[in-house]
Each structure stands twice: as C-alpha cells, then as structure tokens.
C-alpha cells in the first residue's frame, strides 16, 4: 500500500529513529534494572509513562492503545512499588544520552549542525497543541536536559508522542481496536505478524478472533490481506495521522522542516545502518 510522503510523514521518518534509540540501546534497559524495575517490559511501560505519573493498568493501557491489556497490567502499577515515576524518568533520560552521544560523531553531524537541529526541533515542539494528547503533553513538561544530546532526544520524544497520540485518535475514529490496528498494520506487508503480535502481547486466539472480525467487516480477505476497503481505511488512517501531526510542521514552515530533515537524516541513518535501531521494527519506522 503506497502512502503519500507528506512533509509531516517525512519529518517523522527523519527524527523517529533518534527517539527509538531508547527501546533498543542497552543503557536505558540497564538503568531501569538499576533503579529496581523487574524485566524489560516493566522498564518500557514505566519509562514511557513516567512523566504522566503513577498510573494504574487501565489508564496506562488506554495510552498504550496497541498493547494487550494483560501485558500492560503485568507491569503497572507494580512498577511504582519499586521506583517512583520521578526516579524512572531521570534514569531513562540520563541513560539514553550515552548511546546517542556515541552516535553524534563529527562524521555524522557537525557541532554547528547539531545545535541547529536541536533549535529547530525545540521550535517544532513549541508549535504542538495537546488537546486529547495526554502522553505528549506529559513529555512536553519534562525539563530540558543540559546537554545537546539530551535536548535532542527529548524533543524527538515529544514530537513522536504527539504524532503517536494523533495516530491513536485516528485509529479510534476509524472504529479499530488496538489488536485490529495491529492486524491491519501487518496486512500492509510492512512488518511481520510475529513482530507485532509478539511485542504487543496478543495471544493466537485473540489474534485469530480479531482477524475473523475484520474479515466479516470486509477489511481483510481470507488470506489476511487488505481488501480494497481495508486498503482505503489504512490510507485514511495514515492521512489523518499526518494531518493531526501538522502542528510542528506549520510552526517550522516548509523550509524549516526541510532543514530539520536534512540535519536529522544522517543521524537516523547511522543509528539504523550501525544496527542500533533495527529495521523492520514494531514501531514501523523505515530508514529515512
């Protein structure tokens, strides 16, 4: 399924791997263990949701729309018995700067270009509105780190959660549940089933039931591929996601966004080409 490469989408593709580093580099996971969290997924949910506060399972699953409720409930609220949200947040932000600083070599980005990129991304963040976007709003309130690497990562994080919250809005508006969103994503052919189903925590039985529902709705064929109606729906969802991610693009303007893409792309490509951020990945981020 071809999706028009809008400016908002190209902007996301250019900066998303910089944020996604937090999920694949070893330092953030190690930091989560060191503050007392048990297992990678407890670190994931607690670390991602820490700026919102000590959420319980129901509220956390509403924000992490694509995940099976049981997977979220195995991590939260238990995580807060081991470490406070403030402790988890501080450890996460500090830890992710280490692998990012390794990637920010002179051959990847000059000091001048890095400073300019951070300036542009922080300006883009200032253009974001947060109505209905609790996760992005919470990350936008996190104090800026003192280092350029930390500021870069935080800005990309606010931008991706702003877009991600908009994506959830688009999916819910389309009538898809979290598991159905995963199934239709897999049906585009961009990511394998095992990568989405496994990371999101859905059982084979739940996956098959959702597939039957989508087939009955005429969105998937009997082989699990998108029908014409299903393809149209996915295109509408992606188009809505791009439209809902327009705030930071409008703030920078076309020239500013193109400059940010030009400066961020070598960093993101380096993270992918060096194997730190794998492609394909559950996030769906491609090599920019």
């Amino acid at each position: 399924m071809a999706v028009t490469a809008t400016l908002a989408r190209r902007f996301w593709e250019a900066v998303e791997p910089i944020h996604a580093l937090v999920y694949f580099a070893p330092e953030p996971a190690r930091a989560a263990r060191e503050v007392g969290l048990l297992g990678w997924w407890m670190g994931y949910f607690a670390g991602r949701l820490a700026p919102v506060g000590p959420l319980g399972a129901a509220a956390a699953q509403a924000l992490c729309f694509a995940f099976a409720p049981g997977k979220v409930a195995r991590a939260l609220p238990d995580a807060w018995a081991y470490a406070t949200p403030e402790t988890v947040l501080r450890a996460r932000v500090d830890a992710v700067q280490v692998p990012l600083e390794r990637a920010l070599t002179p051959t990847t980005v000059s000091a001048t270009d890095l400073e300019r990129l951070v300036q542009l991304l922080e300006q883009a963040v200032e253009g974001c509105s947060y109505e209905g976007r609790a996760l992005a709003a919470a990350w936008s309130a996190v104090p800026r780190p003192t280092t350029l690497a930390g500021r870069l990562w935080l800005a990309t994080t606010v931008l991706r959660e702003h877009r991600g919250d908009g994506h959830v809005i688009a999916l819910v508006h389309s009538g898809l549940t979290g598991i159905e969103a995963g199934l239709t994503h897999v049906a585009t052919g961009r990511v394998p089933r095992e990568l989405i189903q496994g990371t999101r925590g859905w059982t084979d039985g739940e996956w098959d039931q959702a597939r039957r529902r989508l087939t009955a709705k005429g969105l998937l064929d009997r082989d699990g591929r998108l029908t014409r109606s299903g393809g149209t729906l996915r295109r509408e969802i992606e188009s809505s996601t791009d439209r809902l991610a327009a705030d930071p693009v409008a703030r920078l303007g076309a020239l500013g966004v193109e400059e940010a893409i030009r400066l961020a792309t070598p960093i993101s490509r380096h993270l992918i080409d060096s194997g730190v951020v794998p492609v394909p990945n559950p996030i769906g981020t491609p090599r920019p």
Side-chain angles (χ1 to χ4, degrees):
M1 179 189 65
V3 177
T4 301
T6 64
L7 200 55
R9 180 167 296 272
R10 289 178 51 231
F11 187 39
W12 166 69
E13 291 174 348
V15 303
E16 176 74 5
I18 299 172
H19 161 77
L21 176 67
V22 74
Y23 307 124
F24 302 108
E27 288 85 355
R30 186 183 309 128
R33 291 194 302 271
E34 288 173 352
V35 300
L37 300 183
L38 308 178
W40 194 92
W41 283 107
M42 182 178 280
Y44 170 85
F45 289 114
R48 189 176 174 201
L49 300 177
V52 187
L55 293 182
Q61 202 278 324
L63 293 177
C64 298
F65 170 78
F67 287 89
K71 191 176 187 75
V72 181
R74 285 191 290 273
L76 299 177
D78 289 357
W80 313 127
Y82 300 102
T84 65
E86 294 78 12
T87 298
V88 173
L89 176 62
R90 185 168 56 251
R92 189 175 185 84
V93 174
D94 288 347
V96 76
Q97 295 179 59
V98 177
L100 185 52
E101 285 174 347
R102 282 200 303 268
L104 298 175
T105 64
T107 57
T108 304
V109 62
S110 70
T112 301
D113 283 349
L114 175 59
E115 190 167 358
R116 175 59 177 162
L117 175 60
V118 170
Q119 178 187 22
L120 286 167
L121 295 184
E122 289 178 344
Q123 184 180 343
V125 167
E126 290 170 0
C128 292
S129 59
Y130 299 105
E131 292 83 356
R133 306 185 205 230
L135 195 50
W139 274 102
S140 75
V142 173
R144 288 178 180 175
T146 57
T147 68
L148 281 176
R151 289 168 59 190
L152 174 63
W153 183 79
L154 180 60
T156 61
T157 297
V158 177
L159 291 169
R160 77 91 57 192
E161 297 297 7
H162 178 270
R163 182 183 176 89
D165 285 346
H167 188 54
V168 171
I169 292 170
L171 288 165
V172 172
H173 180 71
S174 76
L176 294 180
T177 65
I179 189 172
E180 290 169 349
L183 269 153
T184 58
H185 187 190
V186 169
T188 66
R190 291 178 173 174
V191 61
R193 169 180 170 173
E194 57 270 18
L195 198 56
I196 293 295
Q197 184 186 347
T199 58
R200 304 299 190 247
W202 301 105
T203 66
D204 287 340
E206 291 168 331
W207 193 267
D208 290 341
Q209 287 177 6
R211 179 179 54 78
R212 286 193 290 271
R213 289 196 302 270
L214 292 173
T215 301
K217 292 178 181 179
L219 299 176
L220 295 182
D221 65 21
R222 295 188 179 277
D223 295 319
R225 296 173 300 196
L226 289 172
T227 62
R228 179 174 295 182
S229 296
T232 298
L233 182 64
R234 279 302 311 192
R235 286 190 293 273
E236 290 173 349
I237 289 168
E238 298 300 337
S239 178
S240 295
T241 300
D242 290 341
R243 179 175 55 80
L244 291 167
D247 284 348
V249 172
R251 181 58 176 263
L252 288 183
L255 292 179
V257 173
E258 291 289 1
E259 184 181 6
I261 291 171
R262 177 179 63 81
L263 296 174
T265 294
I267 302 171
S268 291
R269 285 180 177 171
H270 172 74
L271 291 171
I272 290 170
D273 293 345
S274 63
V276 179
V277 176
V279 173
N281 53 68
I283 304 167
T285 250
R287 182 180 186 273

